[in-house]
Amino acid sequence: MIINQVVSHIESLNAEERNRRHMERVFLQSDDLVKRIQRVVTDHGNELGISLGQSKELVHGDVLYMDDHSLIVIHVIPDELLVIHPRTIQEMGEIAHKLGNRHLPAQFERDQMLLQYDYLVEELLQNEGIPYSREKMAVKKAFRHVEHRH
């Protein structure tokens, strides 16, 4: 089967719609979410080709296929992350500036900054006394490098 578009998102389906369908999952690394063309296998052993449009990226929970009996859903494999818990907006600004100079992709959820694990960043956080934790988490979307010029 070739998937050309995302049908829906699992969170947009009500409980009855989800529960009456058999769910298969496609497990992807977060880096694979940005690949427009790829071959994947569901947790039930079914092989799929994904060929999406130019600007579409996959996200955790995307429904690739749905009929009256089944669903195929994207599930992101947890990454090793540094979760930064700044105490003040100034502390957030200062650490964001220092990390920005390294051109590291980051994501923000609630009052936390998420980065892919890097021992040098962990060392910086320890030296600066910035509260953080090292966690294994599934991110909802891929980490993207920002275009930059110096």
Side-chain angles (χ1 to χ4, degrees):
M1 176 186 320
I2 304 293
I3 305 297
N4 294 313
Q5 64 183 10
V6 172
V7 176
S8 185
H9 193 275
I10 196 69
E11 291 177 3
S12 69
L13 303 176
N14 65 41
E16 191 272 326
E17 290 176 308
R18 285 190 300 256
N19 294 336
R20 71 180 161 107
R21 292 179 169 95
H22 173 77
M23 186 183 305
E24 290 185 52
R25 291 178 179 84
V26 172
F27 290 93
L28 294 178
Q29 298 285 338
S30 61
D31 294 346
D32 293 332
L33 295 173
V34 297
K35 295 180 181 175
R36 289 187 325 101
I37 299 171
Q38 57 187 311
R39 185 167 301 282
V40 298
V41 178
T42 71
D43 60 346
H44 288 61
N46 295 315
E47 193 170 319
L48 305 173
I50 299 175
S51 178
L52 300 176
Q54 291 282 34
S55 62
K56 178 63 181 154
E57 293 180 8
L58 296 169
V59 297
H60 182 80
D62 275 346
V63 177
L64 300 178
Y65 175 81
M66 180 170 59
D67 64 18
D68 290 338
H69 307 287
S70 61
L71 293 167
I72 299 176
V73 180
I74 294 293
H75 186 85
V76 179
I77 297 168
D79 285 318
E80 190 76 25
L81 301 178
L82 291 171
V83 181
I84 302 171
H85 312 277
R87 294 170 287 233
T88 65
I89 191 69
Q90 180 167 341
E91 191 171 63
M92 173 58 100
E94 289 172 358
I95 196 62
H97 177 73
K98 289 176 182 176
L99 294 172
N101 284 336
R102 297 171 188 239
H103 305 289
L104 297 172
Q107 294 183 23
F108 299 88
E109 288 187 11
R110 297 174 306 280
D111 58 350
Q112 301 173 338
M113 182 181 202
L114 309 177
L115 301 167
Q116 289 177 308
Y117 179 77
D118 180 302
Y119 74 94
L120 293 172
V121 172
E122 184 174 38
E123 191 175 283
L124 171 70
L125 294 170
Q126 288 171 349
N127 292 340
E128 295 290 325
I130 305 292
Y132 75 94
S133 57
R134 187 172 166 181
E135 301 178 27
K136 202 156 186 85
M137 294 173 56
V139 293
K140 293 179 181 163
K141 57 185 180 177
F143 282 96
R144 301 283 301 189
H145 285 279
V146 178
E147 298 291 327
H148 66 278
R149 293 191 179 133
H150 285 283

